[in-house]
Amino acid sequence: MGGSIGLMRRARACAERGPGYLQRHGFCPVSPRQVLFGQKPELWHSPGTMKSLTEHLWFETPHRRDYLNIPHTVEALVRRSGVQEGLCLVNAMHITASVYINDAEDGLLHDYDVWLEKLAPHAPTSQYHHNRTGEDNADAHMKRQVMGREVVVAITKGRLDLGPWEQVFYGEFDGGRRKRVLVKIIGE
């Protein structure tokens, strides 16, 4: 078969064979899109085996507000997952805690703490309607809203693909009890 008609037939035949063809042969000689748009044929490589890992980290900090640097823990889970290329979700599973990325510099951590306390001061607790329910943690909900609930980090060559100075942190805004962080890793 020659010309674009022959390429189109091969592309359709490959597409009709479905994902099993890719898994058995590792490639498809041409795609219908390539033929229709006049692109040069390339090999479609079959993706590697999709892997995933779900892990729960537990934290109980001694102070009302704490900031824990956790990239080494997350990196160890990435290694355990065997994922070389993919994504890693790190998600605080409590509404008064946060996961975020920033610099691991003590002055900056202090500045965050002071700034967040100015934005949503803990006291007086009577200033918050939420605290009329018997709680005293309305400020912690607001601090979490500002700092975020999760981060997604690319995994490249089996490692977290963080920029210079970037670290993954667990932020606690209503400490003294056990809280969970979900780590979900997916990829090949």
Side-chain angles (χ1 to χ4, degrees), residues 59-66 68 172 174-177:
F59 299 103
E60 185 171 353
T61 65
H63 306 105
R64 182 169 188 82
R65 291 188 314 276
D66 272 309
L68 306 179
E172 175 61 71
D174 187 26
R177 56 192 162 135

Side-chain angles (χ1 to χ4, degrees), residues 53 55-59 68-78 87-94 97-101 144 147-155 160 162 167-171 180-186:
L53 175 76
E55 188 70 39
H56 298 263
L57 307 176
W58 290 91
F59 299 103
L68 306 179
N69 191 348
I70 62 170
H72 300 295
T73 304
V74 177
E75 189 84 52
L77 294 173
V78 169
L87 296 172
C88 177
L89 167 75
V90 186
N91 178 43
M93 301 293 285
H94 199 281
S98 176
V99 174
Y100 66 95
I101 293 177
R144 182 262 176 86
M147 296 302 285
R149 97 187 261 267
E150 68 205 8
V151 297
V152 176
V153 181
I155 299 168
L160 292 177
L162 294 165
Q167 301 284 310
V168 181
F169 282 88
Y170 170 75
R180 179 170 55 113
V181 170
L182 168 73
V183 179
K184 181 76 169 183
I185 299 164
I186 59 172

Side-chain angles (χ1 to χ4, degrees), residues 103-164:
D103 191 357
E105 194 272 316
D106 289 339
L108 182 61
L109 294 176
H110 172 79
D111 293 343
Y112 265 139
D113 201 45
V114 169
W115 178 69
L116 288 169
E117 192 59 22
K118 285 179 185 175
L119 284 176
H122 175 65
T125 58
S126 61
Q127 69 184 310
Y128 301 106
H129 288 271
H130 172 71
N131 290 345
R132 295 177 188 167
T133 64
E135 299 275 356
D136 72 345
N137 64 357
D139 66 302
H141 290 275
M142 293 179 187
K143 289 168 179 145
R144 182 262 176 86
Q145 196 67 28
V146 170
M147 296 302 285
R149 97 187 261 267
E150 68 205 8
V151 297
V152 176
V153 181
I155 299 168
T156 305
K157 297 179 183 173
R159 303 216 42 208
L160 292 177
D161 208 344
L162 294 165

